[in-house]
């Protein structure tokens, strides 16, 4: 048995700690040790994007990050999008545009799209498609996802002072 | 009398006839009467009073959930079709 | 049918499970947790075909943290019999054999043993310590090769069946069927143009993003509880009961949220193994597949070899057609070639038809359903031949299809006549669309169209509706919700009850808590479970009339109900007002229904594709794409569009890119999502949709299932577009850049 490593990190703005094996991925740590199962596993090799989380302002596929790398980092997951009972504009737009069917890829898309809109408040359709190209969805054909991101971008722009 | 369409692979039993009139209140009755016309037909369609697995019956174009027990009208069309479902 | 005004049907409410799914709270199979949980792993065959000489589990069992190992030897002895879980009758030995191999492995990735340990990592490591001695056998990977008389034989006991009669010798052909309508030989003699072509299509995977998963607890009372992501909780219950030879009633299946299925999450793979491991350990056991396990160890859709021959007169009338379909079932029979045969010419009224179909086993994973299973392969062949005929005859490709389109009363090659269908209306919508009317300019560009069909199914569904005192209702159903059906079913109940859809709270519950409900498949949930919800709502209305009659001292027949209110002799009450009084008028109101409906309406779908082919690389870019489909009546138009868009894009992936790239010795060379390249957002334009509504007389609102037919036309539409862009007729799927380049070079 390998000894475990004590990791101190911050998840969705709150300090968090966990004990993990050195080989465990951040995805496993979030899901199995922190009970944050909103982040999903689709492939465990960085190709589907379902496990996308924010790490120190960058989006990463958490299956390719080791849990120990989270030491001292700021981690953002789908569970941190809503403010209390108020959904994030992207979450609302995904619902209003029927941008999910089975919903397994949705957390990854939401986290990735949020990072995009924070960096580029008015992305073109082509830019959205490029940004989200690491997130696979097999249900929707992407059409309604792209439209939802466009709608959220418009609403977030209007909401800004 | 109902019109029974003889499945292509059973037409050797009917001497090549592709449809035939047969009486009966239910699919099972009809198959029994078909058997008297073309011996051997019953065993290709039924197994112990029920339709064989992978044989479905359509009465008037509707695949019938009750199979051999399905009622048959006096002018019904009966087909034996592949059972399908989907993804 | 007159135009009906609906309150709820046809609107676009937010789904009831929406908040859970955008916040990460929705619990999918892999998210299930329980005290004392053990984790499992599966050891899979490295060979495509081999005899298992010996399995030694000692080292694995001795590994720290390992609690149990199971192999096929742990299945209780059971007499072989035919079992049917809604996807056709199969010998139990085949179902068991695919869960854990016995005697032989039949494909690379075939499950051989299962391990339970204190962590998933330990289980994976321990699985590698199981020693299996194999005697490799020659493998066979395609239908035409497997049909050769000297081909390696997969199953010693397999004999070719022809409608109840079995042939003598050993064979890899498990079934042959034939449909004859009219006389195709005579028919061809009357034609002016005949085109005959050969096609092949690769094995492709459904590609759901969520891998298979299962947790099982064999409880101390002898009952087994299973939590998993499945398209059919009752299928899991019944199949697991058969595999383990225990009574159905001893198994309770709780369906977790499901991350895509498309037909691939109907068979059981992990559930019986998790149950056996739980029985050995006395603890709950969870097993998750890796992505590689999903590609190598679950059911993709068949690769196929197809010949199609169609003859027409000079004025474009189709007179005769023949098809030869050989589909690869994978390791065990059941290639869905039957539906392929029923769909291959379904769009056309052709008087003389012969269709031969062959279900062929090969050393690849045992295939499962994939969205309109069997139909896409067949339509790729037919629709490209029709396109060639149109070109030779100088007729517009939509016009030739319209001249020959199947309609109500057209006799199909497999026998029955079509009821009311929307083939003509779908083709007219194609012709009238802005997309089809607009010019496509530029070099290396082309437009293609195609049409496709899927039958859809009925099958049983059950539903109960409990009336709450605040005027809302709780709707209980057994159909696992794979894409918004909680809402499309709840909307139908709301419409009948005359209440807002937000006042209906749908729940998908476990197999102990609702009447038998068949799989979420065959495009049946909005149709069948919707019908059960309508009938249960009707049952509520009937009881509410009785309650109103008590209040107003009259008889129930005199109470009128409609649009959410009840009236009689000057009295009136809303549904809500009456619901508040159910306690004092006799107690709770529970509506219930179970249906096994007839009147299933098949759905036609068409696709228009504009592409540009790069003559240097052979890469095809989709410039514009429109999906057209007959929904009968779109209950929730956004979800209908979503089905059309999703099916179209799966069809685009199948057409342009996806394949099991196999080595000669049967290894899938591209078993990751990087190498098995499914379409990304960057590969696609917006997918335009045109919903056609030809109501299905067999459903109260006219619903036709829309889940499947939309995947059928895209590969053929793309092939026809590529022909106009690059001058090459593609007859092999996928039409990947190397395949297109090869065709351009050999032009």
């Amino acid at each position: 048995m390998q000894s475990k490593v004590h990791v101190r990190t911050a998840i969705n703005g709150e300090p968090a700690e966990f004990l993990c094996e050195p080989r465990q991925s951040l995805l496993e740590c979030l899901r199995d040790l922190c009970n944050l199962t909103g982040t999903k596993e689709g492939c465990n090799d960085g190709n589907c994007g379902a496990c996308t989380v924010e790490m120190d302002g960058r989006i990463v596929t958490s299956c390719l990050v080791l849990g120990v790398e989270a030491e001292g980092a700021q981690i953002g997951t789908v569970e941190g999008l809503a403010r209390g009972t108020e959904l994030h504009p992207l979450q609302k737009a995904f619902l209003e545009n029927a941008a999910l069917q089975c919903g397994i890829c949705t957390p990854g898309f939401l986290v990735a799209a949020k990072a995009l809109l924070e960096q580029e408040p008015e992305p073109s359709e082509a830019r959205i498609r490029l940004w989200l190209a690491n997130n696979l969805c097999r249900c929707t054909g992407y059409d309604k996802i792209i439209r939802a991101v466009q709608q959220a971008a418009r609403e977030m722009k209007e909401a800004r002072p | 009398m109902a019109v029974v369409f003889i499945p292509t692979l059973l037409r050797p039993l009917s001497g090549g006839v592709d449809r035939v009139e047969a009486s009966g209140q239910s699919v099972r009755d009809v198959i029994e009467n078909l058997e008297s016309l073309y011996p051997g037909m019953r065993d290709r369609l039924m197994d112990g009073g029920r339709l064989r697995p992978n044989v479905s019956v359509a009465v008037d174009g509707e695949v019938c959930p009750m199979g051999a027990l399905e009622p048959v009208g006096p002018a019904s069309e009966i087909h034996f079709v592949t059972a399908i479902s989907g993804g | 049918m007159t135009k009906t005004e609906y309150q709820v049907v046809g609107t676009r409410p937010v789904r009831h499970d929406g908040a859970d799914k955008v916040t990460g709270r929705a619990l999918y199979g892999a998210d299930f947790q329980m005290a004392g949980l053990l984790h499992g792993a599966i050891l899979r065959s490295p060979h495509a075909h081999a005899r298992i000489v010996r399995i030694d589990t000692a080292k694995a069992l001795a590994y720290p943290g390992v609690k149990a190992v199971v192999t096929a030897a742990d299945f209780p002895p059971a007499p072989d019999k035919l079992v049917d879980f809604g996807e056709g009758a199969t010998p139990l030995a085949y179902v068991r054999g695919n869960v854990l191999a016995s005697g032989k492995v039949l494909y690379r990735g075939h499950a051989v043993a299962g391990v339970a340990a204190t962590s998933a990592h330990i289980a994976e490591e321990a699985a590698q310590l199981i020693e299996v001695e194999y005697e490799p056998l020659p493998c066979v990977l395609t239908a035409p090769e497997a049909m050769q008389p000297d081909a390696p034989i997969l199953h010693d006991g397999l004999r070719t069946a022809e409608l109840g009669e079995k042939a003598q010798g050993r064979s890899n052909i498990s079934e042959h069927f034939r449909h004859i309508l009219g006389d195709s030989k005579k028919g061809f003699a009357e034609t002016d143009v005949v085109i005959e072509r050969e096609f092949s299509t690769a094995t492709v995977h459904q590609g759901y993003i969520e891998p298979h998963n299962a947790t099982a607890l064999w409880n101390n009372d002898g009952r087994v509880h299973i939590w998993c992501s499945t398209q059919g909780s009752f299928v899991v219950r019944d199949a697991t009961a058969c595999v383990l030879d225990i009574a159905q009633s001893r198994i309770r299946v709780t369906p977790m949220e499901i991350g895509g299925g498309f037909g691939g999450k109907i068979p059981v793979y992990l559930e019986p193994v998790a149950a056996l491991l739980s029985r050995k350990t006395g603890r709950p056991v969870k097993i998750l597949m890796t992505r590689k396990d999903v590609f190598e160890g679950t059911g993709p859709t068949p690769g196929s070899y197809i010949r199609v021959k169609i003859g027409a007169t000079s004025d474009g009338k189709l007179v005769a057609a023949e098809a030869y379909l050989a589909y690869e079932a994978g390791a065990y029979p059941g290639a869905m070639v039957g539906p392929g045969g029923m769909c291959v010419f379904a769009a056309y009224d052709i008087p003389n038809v012969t269709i031969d179909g062959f279900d062929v086993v090969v050393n690849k994973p045992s295939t499962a359903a994939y969205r309109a299973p069997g139909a896409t392969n067949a339509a790729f062949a037919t629709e490209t031949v029709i396109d060639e005929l149109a070109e030779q005859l100088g007729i517009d490709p939509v016009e030739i299809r319209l001249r020959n389109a199947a309609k109500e009363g057209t006799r199909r090659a497999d026998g029955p006549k079509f009821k009311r269908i929307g083939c003509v209306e779908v083709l007219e919508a194609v012709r009238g669309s802005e997309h089809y009317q607009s010019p496509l300019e530029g070099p290396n560009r082309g437009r293609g169209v195609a049409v496709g069909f899927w039958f859809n199914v009925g099958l049983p569904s059950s539903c109960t509706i409990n009336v709450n005192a605040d005027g809302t209702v709780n709707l209980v159903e057994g159909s696992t919700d794979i894409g918004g059906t909680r809402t499309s079913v709840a909307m139908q109940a709301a419409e009948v009850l005359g209440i807002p859809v937000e006042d209906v709270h749908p729940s998908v519950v476990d197999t102990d808590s609702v009447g038998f409900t068949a799989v979420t498949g065959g495009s049946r949930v909005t149709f069948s479970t919707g019908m059960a919800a309508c009938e249960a709502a009707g049952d509520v209305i009937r009881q509410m009339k009785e309650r109103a009659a008590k209040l107003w001292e009259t008889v129930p027949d005199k109470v009128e109900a409609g649009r959410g209110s009840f009236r009689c002799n000057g009295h009136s009450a809303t549904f809500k007002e009456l619901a508040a009084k159910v306690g004092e008028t006799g107690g709770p109101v529970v509506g219930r229904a179970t249906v096994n409906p007839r009147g299933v309406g098949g759905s036609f779908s068409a696709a228009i594709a504009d592409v540009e082919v790069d003559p240097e690389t052979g890469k095809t870019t989709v410039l514009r794409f429109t999906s057209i489909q007959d929904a009968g009546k779109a209950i929730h138009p956004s979800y209908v569009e979503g089905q059309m868009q999703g099916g179209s894009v799966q069809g685009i992936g199948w057409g342009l890119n996806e394949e099991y790239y196999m080595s000669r010795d049967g290894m899938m060379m591209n078993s990751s999502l990087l190498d098995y390249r499914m379409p990304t957002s960057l590969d696609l334009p917006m997918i335009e949709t045109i919903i056609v509504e030809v109501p299905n007389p067999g459903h109260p609102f006219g619903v036709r299932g829309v889940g499947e037919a939309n995947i059928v036309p895209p590969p053929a539409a793309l092939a026809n577009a590529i022909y106009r862009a690059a001058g090459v007729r593609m007859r092999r799927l996928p039409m990947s850049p190397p395949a297109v380049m090869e065709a351009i070079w050999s032009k």
Side-chain angles (χ1 to χ4, degrees), chain C residues 20 99 109 130 151 176 179 185 218 225 227 232 238 308 371 498 532 541 562 721 729:
Chain C
D20 282 347
V99 171
I130 298 171
H176 166 231
H179 302 305
K185 293 229 162 13
W218 198 298
H225 197 158
W227 297 262
D238 297 353
V308 158
R371 212 166 194 152
I541 295 284
R729 287 277 177 198

Side-chain angles (χ1 to χ4, degrees), chain C residues 15 69 116 183 279-280 332 438 528 540 549 621 630 692 745:
Chain C
R15 58 196 287 168
V69 177
D183 183 336
R279 188 175 59 180
K280 278 199 169 180
Y332 297 96
S438 69
S528 279
V540 167
T621 302
D630 177 14
V692 175
W745 286 330

Side-chain angles (χ1 to χ4, degrees), chain B residues 20-80:
Chain B
V20 65
E21 291 198 338
S23 59
Q25 303 284 312
S26 68
V27 169
R28 188 161 60 187
D29 282 359
V30 168
I31 293 174
E32 289 297 339
N33 289 326
L34 208 54
E35 173 70 14
S36 61
L37 283 172
Y38 306 120
M41 198 75 86
R42 179 183 52 208
D43 290 348
R44 297 289 291 275
L45 296 169
M46 304 230 294
D47 185 5
R50 301 172 68 176
L51 288 179
R52 278 183 169 277
N54 291 336
V55 173
S56 283
V57 65
V59 176
D60 299 322
E62 292 279 355
V63 177
C64 303
M66 292 201 296
L69 300 180
E70 195 68 28
V72 170
S76 287
E77 266 196 12
I78 297 173
H79 293 89
F80 297 96

Side-chain angles (χ1 to χ4, degrees), chain C residues 302 327-330 332-338 358-360 367 373-374:
Chain C
Y327 283 23
E328 299 161 8
Y332 297 96
M336 294 284 188
V337 64
F358 298 88
D359 185 6
V360 186
T367 56

